[in-house]
Amino acid sequence: MSRLKPFKLSVLDLSPVPAHASVQAAFANSLALAKYAESAGYHRYWLAEHHNMTGIASAATSVLIGYLAANTKHLRLGSGGVMLPNHSPLVIAEQFGTLATLYPGRIDLGIGRAPGSDQRTMMALRRHMSASHEENFPQDIEQLIRWFDAPAGSHFDVQPVPGVGLQIPVWLLGSSLYSAQLAAQLGLPFAFASHFAPDMLADALTLYREKFRPSARLAEPYVVIGVNVIAAESKARARFLFTSQQQQFINLRRGMPGPLPEPVETMEPLWSPAEKYGVERALGMSLVGDQHSVTQGMAALQQQYQADEIIVNGQIFDPDSRIYSFSLAMAAAQSLMQ
């Protein structure tokens, strides 16, 4: 195997709420993982916006970012992502302008176009429904960048305070060719949600790299891919731990989202053949095993996709096992970079 392109390793946290645990415990678990990630050398730590899901505690994404930033020292923190159609660009600029002012040089704004919720919740978030939310998405991103990149002394009739001129890094997130093309057009770094929607990854990365236009923010394409890593001391233990995430995915597809289930010895009684196929396809970008097998899998993915950064998700029921999984993921990445 030829030498791999160097890559950074980061964390994607949905702040999972395990069954029989509280949201407060989920926040404590996220802080413990963030402190571990900082000490272990993870590059950045992102939180994802989801709503009306009792198993995910990161709905108020900017608030949780602030909590983790206040209790860490230098770890980069951000959104992976904020679902911009749910919000006024001005409000997001103010929130992230405040974070960037409180924690200079540590805050990323990752932006997505999906609602991060079901239709009824989306209506509750947006108060009224119209196509303009999605149609305005490119213009809303450009407005954020105009504010963030404005030179000193710039005047706007409406402006975020703080926010203007803060040069906050903006990322475009997605799982489609649309988001890849828009990121290329705007000259922004691009993160693909392959940890739950891997089907279009290769095509999206090819499109992004081929169509990329250098911008004042970014001279060359920059790619992040999402990967689930469930690592443990043995392959059998890792497969056992992975059943929590598999169950959670089935429940979501059945329209019954809930707390992260306890792991089980076998999934066979819990899903139909069609559900098994759907879950295995959606979670196809998952490395489940011991450190050696995770290292091999990570090397194969990097060989294929040439990512600048791999961001690791892991919905693991036991918080100590979760941190241990992230420790094995970091050990795998470090061994590949030697």
Side-chain angles (χ1 to χ4, degrees), residues 27 44 49 114 117 190 216 253 255 292:
F27 292 152
R44 73 180 87 243
E49 176 186 348
S117 61
F190 178 51
R253 290 199 162 188
H292 177 70

Side-chain angles (χ1 to χ4, degrees), residues 85-99:
N86 293 339
H87 311 280
S88 155
L90 178 63
V91 170
I92 295 303
E94 291 169 340
Q95 290 176 357
F96 280 78
T98 299
L99 288 167

Side-chain angles (χ1 to χ4, degrees), residues 124-203:
L125 281 165
R126 302 182 188 181
R127 305 299 293 173
H128 61 87
M129 297 301 298
S130 74
S132 63
H133 290 281
E134 281 73 22
E135 291 171 357
N136 291 341
F137 184 65
Q139 292 78 18
D140 288 348
I141 295 172
E142 290 174 323
Q143 178 62 76
L144 287 169
I145 293 172
R146 280 194 295 273
W147 282 324
F148 293 154
D149 291 359
S154 297
H155 173 75
F156 298 90
D157 290 337
V158 177
Q159 64 181 20
V161 181
V164 172
L166 292 184
Q167 298 286 324
I168 298 169
V170 174
W171 296 71
L172 194 59
L173 283 56
S175 58
S176 69
L177 300 184
Y178 173 90
S179 51
Q181 185 163 330
L182 183 59
Q185 177 185 326
L186 298 178
L188 294 176
F190 178 51
F192 194 88
S194 37
H195 61 292
F196 71 86
D199 286 355
M200 301 183 74
L201 174 59
D203 290 342

Side-chain angles (χ1 to χ4, degrees), residues 268-286:
E268 292 312 311
L270 302 180
W271 55 15
S272 69
E275 287 174 327
K276 179 179 180 180
Y277 173 80
V279 170
E280 289 182 344
R281 183 162 182 170
L283 300 181
M285 193 70 79
S286 299

